[in-house]
Amino acid sequence: MIFKRKQLRQAILVALCAVPATELMAQIPAAETLTIAQASGSSSIPATGEISGVVTDAIRGGFLVGAEVRISGFEVVAVTNSEGRYTFRGVPVGNYTLDVSYLGRPARQTQVTVTGNQVSVANVVLGATGDDNQAIESIVVIGARPQAESEARALQMQRSSAAIINVVSADAVGQFPDQNIAAALSRLPGIAVERDQGQERAISMRGAPSRWSSISFDGVNVIAPSGRRARTDTVPAAIGSAVAVRKAVTPAMQGESLAGNVDIITRGAFDYPGFKSALNVAAGYNDLGGGDQYDVGGFVANTFADGQFGVLLSASRYERDMVTDNFETDWETGEDSQDREPGFEERAWADAHQNKLYRLVRSNTAYSGRFDFRPSDNHHFFFSTIYTEFTDDEMRNAHEFDFDDGAVRTDRASVTRGYADIRTGNTPLQGTIYAVELDSTLNSNKTLESIFTNTLGGEQRFGIWDASWRLNYSNSKAEGGPSVQSAWRSPRGADALSLRPTVVYDYNDRTRHGVKLFETIVNPDGSFSRGAIKRSLDPQDYEFVRLRNNTRLQDSKSISARFDLTREMDLFGQPSEVQFGVQYDDRSKEDTRQTLQILPGALTAAGVALPTTDDFAINDPYKGELPLGYTFRYFSDRGLRNLWSSLASQGFAEVLADTSETNNYEVTEEVLSAYAMATTYFDWGNILAGARVERVDNTGSALVRFGNTYQPALVGGDNLQFFPSVHVNWDINDELKLRVSANSGAARPDFTILRPNFNVSDENQSISGGNPLAEPEKAMGLDAYLEWYMPSGSFFSVGAYYKSLDDVLFTVQRPTFGSDVLNQPGFDRSTYSYTTTDNGGSGHIAGFEVAVSQTLEPFAERLNLPDWATGFGFRGNLTLNDSESETPDGRKIQLPGSSDLIYNLALSYERYGLSTRLSWQYRTKWIDSIGDGDILGDGYWDEVGRLDFKVGYTFNDNANVYLEANNLLSEPGIRYEGDPIRVSEYEEFGPRYLVGLRLNF
């Protein structure tokens, strides 16, 4: 539906007049500021002043983030920001007691006197006793506890938030427990991780597809390099001080977060009392293949001119050299194969099997800088710049055995070569196939994904109003290539069958699909026999097919402007914080690619000898552990690229037709949004409520293929969305908090869906391609959580959630195109069938979460435990998830990417500077692809677990050494079709080990 500008203005007015709500506190961009002048219920406003201060840590000396500050006798709560600051405004003149609390620190009270029109400073040191703020000796004796202090900070930020979030925080020595953000998030409740080559890549939040979660840096959303999918492996963990996962959408959050938002909170110089620096240096190796890995990073920060200026610079790089064992088996149903023997409808055959043997070098690099300027307590300006980069340099030897090449239906031939033929004694899991064609690709692929985001912002006070503003420019790129790919296959022709191997396959062991190779004997009567064993794949087994050089650039740019106003006022007789905001985003994505190729025909015509695999082979030993049943030779990256350069320089390279024309596109997106929200405080807690309205305009340009010709197309669409939400936070007592939320959100279609690339066939009266008019996927959700924050630092929570889904996107074939944009004289293409990605599905996500964190320390006296035993602890979380979505053919299935069960368990010990953690992650199977047949069914990733271990020793506040061991049980990744026995992909990566040193000053 197309909405006019007048309707947009009316909708924004509705939002501004809606029940107000307040900003989620997890990011905490500025000091919490609250007015309480009318909270006492007096009919007149007394003379007032302000209370302001900083909460610091007696144990570590830094600021405490998320500490809760209360004025005895009043209902409002202030929460400290990343600089430990808080402020109460409009406090009636008088004497007051401040109550300050923070998990894992003794609560503290301090007295303050407020005078009219003056700021009363009340700085508080937690972890101290008495008026002299001397540190508690018993805490000092215990020694460093990085895990406990990191968790306490995360839980305190979660506790003080006005909405449902989970937080993972850097430990006391400034580091996350993992190398990238995806790995760190995988330890939180309800977060499941998807891996590629054993490395954590994308996350699924409470059973939702990864495309339904957004990524932001300090509250500013960015588009991932390859699209909207929340690929967090591109972001090194070292770049942030904490990551907040916002599971319940608030009006201040952009409406593109259907499942939630991952907010990466970066460091600033004002986060520290003065000069601060940190350095991490680590090195190790990967057990499979013996490749090296290293991790180097650090930051330096300082303030100048009596705290008016602050500068922070940081850099990090993590790199690992690894190999992957892999096999893939392609399955097809008996109806699709050449099998026509009785019962073929119930059989599924493998039509191809291949080993993909990877040698990889992957890296994560990040640079960031932030400049802060605070000329006064009422004005704070900053500029931050962040660059993150993920690179993947991959060499892949792929050896494919094409079982169905030249196959004949069994009801048309008395003699076959064995494929899909039970008459030869073959079964789908075991058998012999004669004269199998070999296909091989020897590829050198390069990928670079980067995010470059820059933000100019400010927090300012103008009388009773607080203003917050942000100007952001972001550029995300996914660069592929130049990648050189070579293709090879067995000799062809009637006389070449004896040159191809006979393959004996055995798939009974799902973790070790294997083949054995033999020579092929062609008998005089045309039948086949198995000859001597064939022990290696050699250059003479292959003929040259082609060389290709691929380049691709996905370039996304975004300009964003945001302005927020906040003030304190009385609503319905209760103190409240009201917030309004507007935001404008202008985004674009351009996708361009080109492929050059060299074919044997051009070389033969010029009298140039065809290349062989021997031209760039090397003699390195096999680096994997998977039993192949044959030997082979790796190839040299430099040799393959030199081969391409040599032939291309002679003029043999030509552009591959239709690659650029069919795939290039540009999509722009303009988003205008406004919201109104407030938090109203009561003696039992608070209510956060409000609404957001967003108008989105999309325009896409691409080339449309009409037979052998292309014509430009420009197609657009728009939509208007309204997102109300209410969040109730009930402080049952000092330890128990009940949260109830009703919220709404959406996930906009990816740019690849919105692109107007169409392929038109007038002969078949069909159209296929993108869908510029696709609507956002939508959800309405309910959440209820009970959280127990114990004074000892222990934690327990239980919660339930439900989301009703609409307009879920699936690949469909619509009966008619339904638009005249592709019509031409004599051709009414609006009636053609249309294969695309379109809305239509509905469904739900429902689940149950439990999380617990407990040490033996609170039970020490009761159980008469020795001091050393109190360091043992347990942390765990469990998510039970149920989801359903409707496929285009009307089937009800589990939502793709959703596991029924996810849990994390960790045993820890922290005492006397020693810190250890043994952790286990597990998730059940989940749907990876939708099948279209009853025999094969849907494609699944199988259940998977991961065992990690870490031990460290902190000598003092300045030095820490550690050992990390990941994937100790070498758990593989397994994908299968319908039945678990039909494994379609198997990946094995092996454990990896890292030893490091961290320094802090």
Side-chain angles (χ1 to χ4, degrees), residues 702-956:
L703 294 177
V704 177
R705 181 174 182 172
F706 299 94
N708 294 322
T709 65
Y710 292 89
Q711 296 185 17
L714 183 66
V715 184
D718 58 25
N719 63 79
L720 187 68
Q721 296 292 323
F722 187 68
F723 304 108
S725 64
V726 178
H727 307 262
V728 179
N729 300 283
W730 178 20
D731 295 321
I732 300 173
N733 55 39
D734 291 342
E735 299 180 9
L736 291 175
K737 181 186 287 285
L738 176 66
R739 301 181 188 268
V740 179
S741 170
N743 53 82
S744 56
R748 298 176 196 144
D750 205 344
F751 295 112
T752 56
I753 296 173
L754 296 173
R755 63 191 179 99
N757 293 83
F758 299 113
N759 193 339
V760 178
S761 172
D762 291 315
E763 179 181 358
N764 298 322
Q765 294 193 341
S766 64
I767 299 171
S768 62
N771 184 4
L773 302 181
E775 295 281 335
E777 301 169 281
K778 307 174 187 68
M780 297 288 292
L782 294 172
D783 303 88
Y785 281 75
L786 179 65
E787 301 170 348
W788 185 11
Y789 299 90
M790 289 164 263
S792 62
S794 301
F795 173 74
F796 175 80
S797 74
V798 59
Y801 55 88
Y802 179 86
K803 285 186 183 293
S804 175
L805 308 174
D806 271 318
D807 295 329
V808 179
L809 291 167
F810 287 100
T811 300
V812 299
Q813 184 177 63
R814 287 173 22 183
T816 59
F817 183 59
S819 173
D820 60 2
V821 296
L822 299 180
N823 288 356
Q824 291 178 323
F827 293 94
D828 179 7
R829 299 187 174 98
S830 64
T831 61
Y832 286 11
S833 64
Y834 182 28
T835 301
T836 188
T837 302
D838 201 7
N839 305 101
S842 62
H844 72 266
I845 302 175
F848 178 80
E849 285 183 7
V850 178
V852 62
S853 175
Q854 180 69 63
T855 67
L856 289 181
E857 191 169 0
F859 308 103
E861 184 176 347
R862 186 188 315 168
L863 300 177
N864 196 27
L865 297 176
D867 184 70
W868 61 266
T870 60
F872 289 101
F874 169 80
R875 296 171 178 85
N877 57 73
L878 177 145
T879 302
L880 299 175
N881 195 69
D882 175 74
S883 68
E884 183 179 270
S885 58
E886 184 177 352
T887 64
D889 59 4
R891 288 193 300 133
K892 302 289 186 178
I893 64 167
Q894 185 174 314
L895 194 69
S898 173
S899 291
D900 290 335
L901 171 65
I902 306 164
Y903 68 82
N904 292 274
L905 302 175
L907 299 175
S908 63
Y909 182 83
E910 282 196 306
R911 206 68 171 172
Y912 315 118
L914 180 67
S915 177
T916 67
R917 182 188 68 231
L918 181 67
S919 60
W920 171 256
Q921 302 176 38
Y922 174 84
R923 66 179 300 192
T924 55
K925 67 179 182 180
W926 68 97
I927 292 179
D928 176 60
S929 59
I930 304 299
D932 57 2
D934 294 334
I935 300 177
L936 283 185
D938 301 317
Y940 290 86
W941 277 105
D942 205 357
E943 61 180 1
V944 63
R946 185 77 169 263
L947 184 67
D948 301 325
F949 176 73
K950 183 174 183 177
V951 59
Y953 183 77
T954 301
F955 295 97
N956 50 45

Side-chain angles (χ1 to χ4, degrees), residues 421-439:
D421 192 350
I422 62 172
R423 298 175 303 173
T424 64
N426 287 353
T427 70
L429 299 181
Q430 193 169 6
T432 301
I433 306 176
Y434 299 94
V436 172
E437 177 180 288
L438 301 177
D439 293 305

Side-chain angles (χ1 to χ4, degrees), residues 101-429:
S101 62
Y102 187 94
L103 286 174
R105 302 288 190 273
R108 182 170 174 79
Q109 289 187 336
T110 189
Q111 306 299 316
V112 61
T113 299
V114 177
T115 57
N117 300 316
Q118 299 294 320
V119 177
S120 300
V121 178
N123 296 328
V124 181
V125 180
L126 287 187
T129 183
D131 294 335
D132 55 1
N133 284 349
Q134 294 299 311
I136 298 175
E137 294 181 1
S138 61
I139 295 179
V140 176
V141 171
I142 290 173
R145 303 172 66 191
Q147 290 185 63
E149 294 177 40
S150 174
E151 181 163 342
R153 180 173 184 249
L155 288 176
Q156 184 61 44
M157 294 175 68
Q158 175 178 316
R159 178 184 185 180
S160 59
S161 168
I164 299 170
I165 67 168
N166 291 119
V167 179
V168 58
S169 172
D171 63 28
V173 289
Q175 293 291 323
F176 277 97
D178 300 278
Q179 274 74 41
N180 70 46
I181 293 297
L185 293 178
S186 68
R187 305 183 189 280
L188 292 178
I191 304 296
V193 68
E194 300 172 12
R195 294 183 174 89
D196 177 72
Q197 306 282 6
Q199 184 169 335
E200 294 82 1
R201 168 157 289 187
I203 64 165
S204 168
M205 195 178 300
R206 300 201 298 194
S210 57
R211 68 179 185 273
W212 289 359
S213 303
S214 60
I215 303 175
S216 61
F217 288 90
D218 298 318
V220 179
N221 282 22
V222 298
I223 300 298
S226 55
R228 298 195 196 274
R229 183 184 182 211
R231 267 195 60 181
T232 46
D233 63 330
T234 60
V235 183
I239 200 171
S241 62
V243 182
V245 177
R246 308 174 180 184
K247 294 180 176 179
V249 177
T250 64
M253 295 168 56
Q254 288 178 261
E256 59 190 344
S257 305
L258 187 154
N261 169 260
V262 175
D263 189 21
I264 301 159
I265 303 170
T266 61
R267 298 181 177 91
F270 287 165
D271 296 351
Y272 307 97
F275 176 80
K276 179 70 174 180
S277 66
L279 175 66
N280 174 60
V281 180
Y285 74 97
N286 299 284
D287 186 68
L288 184 61
D292 296 330
Q293 63 171 337
Y294 70 85
D295 188 11
V296 179
F299 69 90
V300 58
N302 204 359
T303 58
F304 308 92
D306 294 326
Q308 286 191 332
F309 297 94
V311 177
L312 182 143
L313 300 173
S314 72
S316 68
R317 181 175 177 85
Y318 170 65
E319 180 177 299
R320 68 181 186 184
D321 184 346
M322 56 180 288
V323 302
T324 302
D325 277 340
N326 172 286
F327 64 73
E328 297 184 15
T329 305
D330 299 329
W331 297 90
E332 64 180 6
T333 65
E335 293 180 342
D336 295 330
S337 71
Q338 303 301 321
D339 183 5
R340 286 300 180 272
E341 299 309 303
F344 70 90
E345 302 91 347
E346 301 299 322
R347 288 190 289 269
W349 295 89
D351 62 10
H353 175 82
Q354 64 177 321
N355 292 113
K356 289 183 177 179
L357 308 168
Y358 293 91
R359 291 168 291 158
L360 309 166
V361 177
R362 287 186 166 179
S363 68
N364 292 83
T365 306
Y367 305 100
S368 70
R370 178 169 170 133
F371 173 77
D372 288 89
F373 174 48
R374 185 190 290 123
S376 70
D377 288 340
N378 293 333
H379 300 279
H380 178 195
F381 307 92
F382 72 90
F383 174 75
S384 69
T385 182
I386 300 169
Y387 177 80
T388 72
E389 179 183 283
F390 169 79
T391 63
D392 184 0
D393 295 336
E394 168 191 296
M395 289 183 286
R396 189 188 73 186
N397 286 67
H399 308 295
E400 180 172 353
F401 305 93
D402 191 355
F403 294 159
D404 67 347
D405 175 67
V408 180
R409 276 179 49 166
T410 58
D411 58 357
R412 297 178 181 174
S414 58
V415 177
T416 72
R417 284 154 45 193
Y419 162 69
D421 192 350
I422 62 172
R423 298 175 303 173
T424 64
N426 287 353
T427 70
L429 299 181

